[in-house]
Amino acid sequence: MRWSKTYIPTLREVPSEAELISHQLLLRAGFIRKLAAGVYIYLPLMQRVIKKFSDIVRDEMDKSGALEITMPVLHPAEIWQESNRYETAGKELMKLKDRHQHDLVLGPTHEEIVTFLLRGELRSYKQLPINLYQIQVKFRDEIRPRFGLMRGREFIMKDAYTFDADDESFAIAYKKMVDAYFAIFKKAGLDTKKVESDTGAMGGKAAHEFMLIVDTAGGEEVILFCDKCDYAANVEKATFRETNLPETDSEMKATEDVATPNAGTIEEVTDFLKIKAHRLVKTLIYLADGKPVAAMVRGDRELNMTKLTNQVGAVELELAPAEVVEEVTGCPVGYAGPIGMAQEIPLIVDNEVTRIKNFVVGANKNEVHTINVNLDRDFKATKIGDIINAPVGEQCPNCDGILHAKKGIEVGNTFMLGTKYSESLNATFTDTDGNEKPFLMGSYGIGITRTPQAAIERFHDEKGIQWPKNIAPFLVEIIPLNYAKDEHKEAAERLYNELTSNGIDCLLDDRTERAGVKFNDADLIGVPIQLIIGDKSLQQGKIEVKNRQTGEKSLFDINNMTEEVTKLLGQIN
RNA sequence: CGGGGUGUGGCGCAGUCUGGUUAGCGUGCUUGCUUUGGGAGCAAGAUGUCGGAGGUUCGAAUCCUCUCACCCCGACCA
């Protein structure tokens, strides 16, 4: 492709709307433009990246035995009502009405549709297993779309669905997908980690996420890793073993209310009472599906809303607004405690709280805390369980290693759905014994538009993008320094024709721009190999080569370019 | 949804507090000449519903009301 014949609108300045470096580079390098919040136009370079990544995904999915189909984007609301996700995922769904006032949904994912398809088609175990996938645009009415292609309202996803007759067969299907995912990301030049995750709104038995580890602001997810074994889980899911028992008293003491003037925060209270943060147990009021619940965790711990949601069996959980807190506790926000609340509500207590004697809690009175409080003696828990984020430095749940945290971007996920959808949508088959059984299902996603942005977040420098070769818009960019000069132009054209006819994907910068402009644009768009045609090297019968990933420069013989370029391509990521 | 912020040529911004020529600057764009190995120089030129609607005023980018869009933050304070 010639630069003059395509459209690469590079920007010199950073558009003010972009926060993340990867988002800025996508805009500056002329890959995307925004239409509305979370809705983007893919320009020619992005289109090429999408195609290259999609081809890798297709290739590996096909190899794994999955079958490509295309399902509709437009869904009748009824099928979503049938699975009950019209309610549970309601706010995320893009809804619309047709001219007959029929409710429709723009598909955010396709469990319902693929199950609809197969419940009418598959009647026997003999037709199983089957794996169907598609690469297609999805719609989600995100609360807050942000960061360019990272969290859009419209985006492209590869989604696959497996149907199996029994657990052994499902385990094979799941493993095949996991293997395919590792192969896909490896081919795309991305080293991903598979981590355990919560099943969330998707439901089902278990789930994993494929994370690209980054150390930039783009890493939205926190992942806990064991330093000894291969345990890895995202923060919502990660558990730990309580081996570092906190210091505490041996005997219970009598409770006492203590005035704590102007001490509302954990720090203020612990300073005032001269105690360590773990001895102050905070009581947080949440609304679980609209009903207030209280949760107690150590002052030095973070409550994990996903775990709490699961403990109370709720669909939606949100921190209670101040008015509700005041109504429930009977005092201003900041002094909630388990004893003497104005209303009786469920009380979920974190495991760790049971290890401490004589802790401090809010007294449900303004600027008063109660000291020497003990579980069971002074109040009863509705439920005791793990409701905190696994703390860094605590012990791995599987071995004696220590947990540490990293940030990552989720580029793929796999869900063991079990029979959640096949049961709710009544999709059954006849087993070997003649009985009707619901299908065992799995669903598997890869963000086709998010992954390239994640790759940029991982691979860039101050000059621009450093694409891994297999998802780069081009493999090679030919840069004649002075296209108006016949020798440069001829050498460039010859090189372009030679490489192109040998199947090497080239971009020829045939603009009559100055060298500096071309160098900067080349570094910005991030094509892995730059071939620079200038007087210095040309006079020696050489072409200058710059490896965009390392910045390394060398000279190739002008008569041996295809071989040299192919060799270099074989060496880079 | 709550909180904060921003809307001014393609892009980045100033001007708004304290209303007053013809709304500026940088960059980009067009044309010409020169230049040509890391975002050139000189010259000439084009490009604005100042997000929108309404209002106050002799006069509004600027003040008031409403509205729309976009960006950021969101629960250790319980």
Side-chain angles (χ1 to χ4, degrees), chain A residues 138-162:
Chain A
K138 300 284 186 246
F139 293 86
R140 290 188 191 173
D141 196 359
E142 292 285 347
I143 305 172
R144 184 146 86 92
R146 62 186 138 173
F147 303 146
L149 306 182
M150 288 294 197
R151 187 169 302 278
R153 293 191 294 170
E154 174 177 339
F155 57 97
I156 302 174
M157 181 165 124
K158 185 282 311 177
D159 46 325
Y161 306 91
T162 57

PDB file of all heavy atoms in Angstrom, chain A residues 138-162:
ATOM      1  N   LYS A 138     -20.695  -6.166  19.149  1.00  0.00           N
ATOM      2  CA  LYS A 138     -21.528  -6.330  20.346  1.00  0.00           C
ATOM      3  C   LYS A 138     -21.913  -4.963  20.881  1.00  0.00           C
ATOM      4  O   LYS A 138     -21.177  -3.993  20.680  1.00  0.00           O
ATOM      5  CB  LYS A 138     -20.731  -7.041  21.451  1.00  0.00           C
ATOM      6  CG  LYS A 138     -20.235  -8.414  21.073  1.00  0.00           C
ATOM      7  CD  LYS A 138     -21.348  -9.414  21.111  1.00  0.00           C
ATOM      8  CE  LYS A 138     -20.866 -10.807  20.886  1.00  0.00           C
ATOM      9  NZ  LYS A 138     -21.359 -11.383  19.633  1.00  0.00           N
ATOM     10  N   PHE A 139     -23.014  -4.914  21.593  1.00  0.00           N
ATOM     11  CA  PHE A 139     -23.462  -3.664  22.196  1.00  0.00           C
ATOM     12  C   PHE A 139     -23.671  -3.831  23.691  1.00  0.00           C
ATOM     13  O   PHE A 139     -24.345  -4.776  24.104  1.00  0.00           O
ATOM     14  CB  PHE A 139     -24.783  -3.209  21.563  1.00  0.00           C
ATOM     15  CG  PHE A 139     -24.637  -2.827  20.125  1.00  0.00           C
ATOM     16  CD1 PHE A 139     -24.713  -3.791  19.136  1.00  0.00           C
ATOM     17  CD2 PHE A 139     -24.388  -1.513  19.767  1.00  0.00           C
ATOM     18  CE1 PHE A 139     -24.544  -3.444  17.803  1.00  0.00           C
ATOM     19  CE2 PHE A 139     -24.222  -1.164  18.439  1.00  0.00           C
ATOM     20  CZ  PHE A 139     -24.303  -2.131  17.463  1.00  0.00           C
ATOM     21  N   ARG A 140     -23.093  -2.958  24.462  1.00  0.00           N
ATOM     22  CA  ARG A 140     -23.365  -2.960  25.904  1.00  0.00           C
ATOM     23  C   ARG A 140     -23.523  -1.518  26.351  1.00  0.00           C
ATOM     24  O   ARG A 140     -22.668  -0.683  26.069  1.00  0.00           O
ATOM     25  CB  ARG A 140     -22.216  -3.621  26.676  1.00  0.00           C
ATOM     26  CG  ARG A 140     -22.186  -5.115  26.415  1.00  0.00           C
ATOM     27  CD  ARG A 140     -21.196  -5.854  27.285  1.00  0.00           C
ATOM     28  NE  ARG A 140     -21.066  -7.209  26.754  1.00  0.00           N
ATOM     29  CZ  ARG A 140     -20.193  -8.108  27.161  1.00  0.00           C
ATOM     30  NH1 ARG A 140     -19.356  -7.807  28.139  1.00  0.00           N
ATOM     31  NH2 ARG A 140     -20.143  -9.306  26.631  1.00  0.00           N
ATOM     32  N   ASP A 141     -24.599  -1.263  27.063  1.00  0.00           N
ATOM     33  CA  ASP A 141     -24.848   0.091  27.541  1.00  0.00           C
ATOM     34  C   ASP A 141     -24.081   0.274  28.846  1.00  0.00           C
ATOM     35  O   ASP A 141     -24.655   0.232  29.920  1.00  0.00           O
ATOM     36  CB  ASP A 141     -26.357   0.298  27.728  1.00  0.00           C
ATOM     37  CG  ASP A 141     -26.720   1.769  27.838  1.00  0.00           C
ATOM     38  OD1 ASP A 141     -25.797   2.607  27.790  1.00  0.00           O
ATOM     39  OD2 ASP A 141     -27.905   2.080  27.978  1.00  0.00           O
ATOM     40  N   GLU A 142     -22.771   0.455  28.716  1.00  0.00           N
ATOM     41  CA  GLU A 142     -21.887   0.562  29.867  1.00  0.00           C
ATOM     42  C   GLU A 142     -22.266   1.769  30.724  1.00  0.00           C
ATOM     43  O   GLU A 142     -22.633   2.813  30.200  1.00  0.00           O
ATOM     44  CB  GLU A 142     -20.436   0.731  29.397  1.00  0.00           C
ATOM     45  CG  GLU A 142     -19.854  -0.485  28.706  1.00  0.00           C
ATOM     46  CD  GLU A 142     -19.510  -1.589  29.682  1.00  0.00           C
ATOM     47  OE1 GLU A 142     -19.485  -1.335  30.902  1.00  0.00           O
ATOM     48  OE2 GLU A 142     -19.273  -2.717  29.219  1.00  0.00           O
ATOM     49  N   ILE A 143     -22.112   1.629  32.037  1.00  0.00           N
ATOM     50  CA  ILE A 143     -22.349   2.748  32.943  1.00  0.00           C
ATOM     51  C   ILE A 143     -21.444   3.901  32.536  1.00  0.00           C
ATOM     52  O   ILE A 143     -21.869   5.034  32.404  1.00  0.00           O
ATOM     53  CB  ILE A 143     -21.988   2.390  34.407  1.00  0.00           C
ATOM     54  CG1 ILE A 143     -22.725   1.162  34.862  1.00  0.00           C
ATOM     55  CG2 ILE A 143     -22.249   3.585  35.318  1.00  0.00           C
ATOM     56  CD1 ILE A 143     -22.257   0.657  36.211  1.00  0.00           C
ATOM     57  N   ARG A 144     -20.168   3.563  32.334  1.00  0.00           N
ATOM     58  CA  ARG A 144     -19.225   4.602  31.964  1.00  0.00           C
ATOM     59  C   ARG A 144     -18.247   4.078  30.922  1.00  0.00           C
ATOM     60  O   ARG A 144     -17.240   3.470  31.259  1.00  0.00           O
ATOM     61  CB  ARG A 144     -18.446   5.068  33.197  1.00  0.00           C
ATOM     62  CG  ARG A 144     -17.516   6.211  32.892  1.00  0.00           C
ATOM     63  CD  ARG A 144     -17.410   7.138  34.057  1.00  0.00           C
ATOM     64  NE  ARG A 144     -16.390   6.677  34.981  1.00  0.00           N
ATOM     65  CZ  ARG A 144     -15.125   7.071  34.920  1.00  0.00           C
ATOM     66  NH1 ARG A 144     -14.743   7.898  34.000  1.00  0.00           N
ATOM     67  NH2 ARG A 144     -14.266   6.631  35.793  1.00  0.00           N
ATOM     68  N   PRO A 145     -18.580   4.288  29.655  1.00  0.00           N
ATOM     69  CA  PRO A 145     -17.619   3.892  28.623  1.00  0.00           C
ATOM     70  C   PRO A 145     -16.376   4.756  28.776  1.00  0.00           C
ATOM     71  O   PRO A 145     -16.478   5.928  29.126  1.00  0.00           O
ATOM     72  CB  PRO A 145     -18.335   4.218  27.311  1.00  0.00           C
ATOM     73  CG  PRO A 145     -19.539   4.986  27.658  1.00  0.00           C
ATOM     74  CD  PRO A 145     -19.741   4.980  29.129  1.00  0.00           C
ATOM     75  N   ARG A 146     -15.203   4.163  28.535  1.00  0.00           N
ATOM     76  CA  ARG A 146     -13.991   4.971  28.689  1.00  0.00           C
ATOM     77  C   ARG A 146     -12.786   4.323  28.048  1.00  0.00           C
ATOM     78  O   ARG A 146     -12.818   3.174  27.642  1.00  0.00           O
ATOM     79  CB  ARG A 146     -13.703   5.238  30.164  1.00  0.00           C
ATOM     80  CG  ARG A 146     -13.445   3.967  30.948  1.00  0.00           C
ATOM     81  CD  ARG A 146     -13.298   4.244  32.423  1.00  0.00           C
ATOM     82  NE  ARG A 146     -14.018   3.224  33.170  1.00  0.00           N
ATOM     83  CZ  ARG A 146     -13.985   3.095  34.477  1.00  0.00           C
ATOM     84  NH1 ARG A 146     -13.309   3.946  35.192  1.00  0.00           N
ATOM     85  NH2 ARG A 146     -14.654   2.153  35.081  1.00  0.00           N
ATOM     86  N   PHE A 147     -11.736   5.137  27.973  1.00  0.00           N
ATOM     87  CA  PHE A 147     -10.433   4.686  27.502  1.00  0.00           C
ATOM     88  C   PHE A 147     -10.478   4.118  26.088  1.00  0.00           C
ATOM     89  O   PHE A 147      -9.907   3.069  25.816  1.00  0.00           O
ATOM     90  CB  PHE A 147      -9.846   3.643  28.462  1.00  0.00           C
ATOM     91  CG  PHE A 147      -9.696   4.117  29.882  1.00  0.00           C
ATOM     92  CD1 PHE A 147      -9.862   3.242  30.948  1.00  0.00           C
ATOM     93  CD2 PHE A 147      -9.400   5.447  30.151  1.00  0.00           C
ATOM     94  CE1 PHE A 147      -9.716   3.685  32.256  1.00  0.00           C
ATOM     95  CE2 PHE A 147      -9.248   5.889  31.470  1.00  0.00           C
ATOM     96  CZ  PHE A 147      -9.404   5.008  32.514  1.00  0.00           C
ATOM     97  N   GLY A 148     -11.160   4.796  25.195  1.00  0.00           N
ATOM     98  CA  GLY A 148     -11.145   4.385  23.792  1.00  0.00           C
ATOM     99  C   GLY A 148     -11.779   3.024  23.587  1.00  0.00           C
ATOM    100  O   GLY A 148     -12.928   2.806  23.953  1.00  0.00           O
ATOM    101  N   LEU A 149     -11.007   2.100  23.031  1.00  0.00           N
ATOM    102  CA  LEU A 149     -11.569   0.785  22.702  1.00  0.00           C
ATOM    103  C   LEU A 149     -11.583  -0.152  23.915  1.00  0.00           C
ATOM    104  O   LEU A 149     -12.061  -1.273  23.818  1.00  0.00           O
ATOM    105  CB  LEU A 149     -10.745   0.141  21.580  1.00  0.00           C
ATOM    106  CG  LEU A 149     -10.573   0.997  20.319  1.00  0.00           C
ATOM    107  CD1 LEU A 149      -9.774   0.230  19.273  1.00  0.00           C
ATOM    108  CD2 LEU A 149     -11.928   1.391  19.739  1.00  0.00           C
ATOM    109  N   MET A 150     -11.057   0.298  25.043  1.00  0.00           N
ATOM    110  CA  MET A 150     -10.987  -0.571  26.220  1.00  0.00           C
ATOM    111  C   MET A 150     -12.378  -0.915  26.738  1.00  0.00           C
ATOM    112  O   MET A 150     -12.646  -2.042  27.114  1.00  0.00           O
ATOM    113  CB  MET A 150     -10.204   0.115  27.345  1.00  0.00           C
ATOM    114  CG  MET A 150      -8.744   0.195  27.082  1.00  0.00           C
ATOM    115  SD  MET A 150      -7.985  -1.420  27.060  1.00  0.00           S
ATOM    116  CE  MET A 150      -6.286  -0.927  27.245  1.00  0.00           C
ATOM    117  N   ARG A 151     -13.216   0.082  26.837  1.00  0.00           N
ATOM    118  CA  ARG A 151     -14.559  -0.147  27.345  1.00  0.00           C
ATOM    119  C   ARG A 151     -15.526   0.652  26.499  1.00  0.00           C
ATOM    120  O   ARG A 151     -15.842   1.787  26.813  1.00  0.00           O
ATOM    121  CB  ARG A 151     -14.651   0.261  28.816  1.00  0.00           C
ATOM    122  CG  ARG A 151     -15.957  -0.100  29.491  1.00  0.00           C
ATOM    123  CD  ARG A 151     -15.867   0.094  30.986  1.00  0.00           C
ATOM    124  NE  ARG A 151     -14.798  -0.707  31.546  1.00  0.00           N
ATOM    125  CZ  ARG A 151     -14.924  -2.004  31.836  1.00  0.00           C
ATOM    126  NH1 ARG A 151     -16.071  -2.602  31.690  1.00  0.00           N
ATOM    127  NH2 ARG A 151     -13.915  -2.671  32.321  1.00  0.00           N
ATOM    128  N   GLY A 152     -15.954   0.048  25.418  1.00  0.00           N
ATOM    129  CA  GLY A 152     -16.847   0.739  24.497  1.00  0.00           C
ATOM    130  C   GLY A 152     -18.280   0.285  24.667  1.00  0.00           C
ATOM    131  O   GLY A 152     -18.564  -0.707  25.326  1.00  0.00           O
ATOM    132  N   ARG A 153     -19.173   1.026  24.065  1.00  0.00           N
ATOM    133  CA  ARG A 153     -20.574   0.601  24.052  1.00  0.00           C
ATOM    134  C   ARG A 153     -20.835  -0.278  22.838  1.00  0.00           C
ATOM    135  O   ARG A 153     -21.782  -1.040  22.809  1.00  0.00           O
ATOM    136  CB  ARG A 153     -21.485   1.832  24.051  1.00  0.00           C
ATOM    137  CG  ARG A 153     -21.386   2.605  25.358  1.00  0.00           C
ATOM    138  CD  ARG A 153     -22.460   3.642  25.473  1.00  0.00           C
ATOM    139  NE  ARG A 153     -22.297   4.686  24.481  1.00  0.00           N
ATOM    140  CZ  ARG A 153     -23.218   5.619  24.230  1.00  0.00           C
ATOM    141  NH1 ARG A 153     -24.353   5.610  24.891  1.00  0.00           N
ATOM    142  NH2 ARG A 153     -22.993   6.548  23.324  1.00  0.00           N
ATOM    143  N   GLU A 154     -19.998  -0.086  21.831  1.00  0.00           N
ATOM    144  CA  GLU A 154     -20.041  -0.951  20.653  1.00  0.00           C
ATOM    145  C   GLU A 154     -18.623  -1.433  20.417  1.00  0.00           C
ATOM    146  O   GLU A 154     -17.694  -0.628  20.394  1.00  0.00           O
ATOM    147  CB  GLU A 154     -20.543  -0.143  19.441  1.00  0.00           C
ATOM    148  CG  GLU A 154     -20.486  -0.930  18.155  1.00  0.00           C
ATOM    149  CD  GLU A 154     -21.056  -0.165  16.964  1.00  0.00           C
ATOM    150  OE1 GLU A 154     -21.833   0.773  17.164  1.00  0.00           O
ATOM    151  OE2 GLU A 154     -20.707  -0.525  15.846  1.00  0.00           O
ATOM    152  N   PHE A 155     -18.447  -2.744  20.276  1.00  0.00           N
ATOM    153  CA  PHE A 155     -17.096  -3.276  20.109  1.00  0.00           C
ATOM    154  C   PHE A 155     -17.183  -4.621  19.414  1.00  0.00           C
ATOM    155  O   PHE A 155     -18.272  -5.195  19.296  1.00  0.00           O
ATOM    156  CB  PHE A 155     -16.408  -3.423  21.470  1.00  0.00           C
ATOM    157  CG  PHE A 155     -17.177  -4.291  22.444  1.00  0.00           C
ATOM    158  CD1 PHE A 155     -16.857  -5.630  22.607  1.00  0.00           C
ATOM    159  CD2 PHE A 155     -18.225  -3.769  23.177  1.00  0.00           C
ATOM    160  CE1 PHE A 155     -17.566  -6.430  23.486  1.00  0.00           C
ATOM    161  CE2 PHE A 155     -18.947  -4.569  24.059  1.00  0.00           C
ATOM    162  CZ  PHE A 155     -18.615  -5.906  24.214  1.00  0.00           C
ATOM    163  N   ILE A 156     -16.035  -5.100  18.952  1.00  0.00           N
ATOM    164  CA  ILE A 156     -16.042  -6.389  18.250  1.00  0.00           C
ATOM    165  C   ILE A 156     -15.521  -7.465  19.195  1.00  0.00           C
ATOM    166  O   ILE A 156     -14.541  -7.250  19.913  1.00  0.00           O
ATOM    167  CB  ILE A 156     -15.186  -6.341  16.972  1.00  0.00           C
ATOM    168  CG1 ILE A 156     -15.705  -5.237  16.041  1.00  0.00           C
ATOM    169  CG2 ILE A 156     -15.214  -7.693  16.262  1.00  0.00           C
ATOM    170  CD1 ILE A 156     -14.829  -5.012  14.823  1.00  0.00           C
ATOM    171  N   MET A 157     -16.217  -8.595  19.195  1.00  0.00           N
ATOM    172  CA  MET A 157     -15.835  -9.686  20.083  1.00  0.00           C
ATOM    173  C   MET A 157     -15.902 -11.001  19.314  1.00  0.00           C
ATOM    174  O   MET A 157     -16.722 -11.167  18.421  1.00  0.00           O
ATOM    175  CB  MET A 157     -16.806  -9.718  21.266  1.00  0.00           C
ATOM    176  CG  MET A 157     -16.546 -10.772  22.288  1.00  0.00           C
ATOM    177  SD  MET A 157     -17.488 -10.384  23.805  1.00  0.00           S
ATOM    178  CE  MET A 157     -18.419 -11.863  24.004  1.00  0.00           C
ATOM    179  N   LYS A 158     -14.995 -11.892  19.689  1.00  0.00           N
ATOM    180  CA  LYS A 158     -15.116 -13.278  19.240  1.00  0.00           C
ATOM    181  C   LYS A 158     -15.818 -13.992  20.377  1.00  0.00           C
ATOM    182  O   LYS A 158     -15.350 -13.937  21.523  1.00  0.00           O
ATOM    183  CB  LYS A 158     -13.732 -13.880  18.996  1.00  0.00           C
ATOM    184  CG  LYS A 158     -13.726 -15.278  18.411  1.00  0.00           C
ATOM    185  CD  LYS A 158     -14.017 -16.424  19.355  1.00  0.00           C
ATOM    186  CE  LYS A 158     -13.246 -16.434  20.630  1.00  0.00           C
ATOM    187  NZ  LYS A 158     -13.617 -17.529  21.542  1.00  0.00           N
ATOM    188  N   ASP A 159     -16.948 -14.606  20.115  1.00  0.00           N
ATOM    189  CA  ASP A 159     -17.598 -15.367  21.172  1.00  0.00           C
ATOM    190  C   ASP A 159     -17.866 -16.783  20.697  1.00  0.00           C
ATOM    191  O   ASP A 159     -18.321 -17.006  19.580  1.00  0.00           O
ATOM    192  CB  ASP A 159     -18.886 -14.694  21.666  1.00  0.00           C
ATOM    193  CG  ASP A 159     -19.805 -14.213  20.558  1.00  0.00           C
ATOM    194  OD1 ASP A 159     -19.299 -13.772  19.504  1.00  0.00           O
ATOM    195  OD2 ASP A 159     -21.038 -14.271  20.739  1.00  0.00           O
ATOM    196  N   ALA A 160     -17.522 -17.737  21.573  1.00  0.00           N
ATOM    197  CA  ALA A 160     -17.685 -19.157  21.240  1.00  0.00           C
ATOM    198  C   ALA A 160     -18.514 -19.821  22.325  1.00  0.00           C
ATOM    199  O   ALA A 160     -18.521 -19.375  23.480  1.00  0.00           O
ATOM    200  CB  ALA A 160     -16.318 -19.828  21.137  1.00  0.00           C
ATOM    201  N   TYR A 161     -19.222 -20.870  21.940  1.00  0.00           N
ATOM    202  CA  TYR A 161     -20.119 -21.568  22.873  1.00  0.00           C
ATOM    203  C   TYR A 161     -19.972 -23.066  22.671  1.00  0.00           C
ATOM    204  O   TYR A 161     -20.096 -23.557  21.547  1.00  0.00           O
ATOM    205  CB  TYR A 161     -21.571 -21.133  22.622  1.00  0.00           C
ATOM    206  CG  TYR A 161     -21.707 -19.628  22.680  1.00  0.00           C
ATOM    207  CD1 TYR A 161     -21.566 -18.853  21.524  1.00  0.00           C
ATOM    208  CD2 TYR A 161     -21.909 -18.971  23.894  1.00  0.00           C
ATOM    209  CE1 TYR A 161     -21.637 -17.464  21.580  1.00  0.00           C
ATOM    210  CE2 TYR A 161     -21.986 -17.594  23.956  1.00  0.00           C
ATOM    211  CZ  TYR A 161     -21.857 -16.841  22.790  1.00  0.00           C
ATOM    212  OH  TYR A 161     -21.918 -15.470  22.853  1.00  0.00           O
ATOM    213  N   THR A 162     -19.723 -23.780  23.773  1.00  0.00           N
ATOM    214  CA  THR A 162     -19.613 -25.235  23.656  1.00  0.00           C
ATOM    215  C   THR A 162     -20.820 -25.914  24.299  1.00  0.00           C
ATOM    216  O   THR A 162     -21.395 -25.408  25.274  1.00  0.00           O
ATOM    217  CB  THR A 162     -18.340 -25.779  24.348  1.00  0.00           C
ATOM    218  OG1 THR A 162     -18.345 -25.376  25.720  1.00  0.00           O
ATOM    219  CG2 THR A 162     -17.090 -25.267  23.666  1.00  0.00           C
TER     220      THR A 162
END
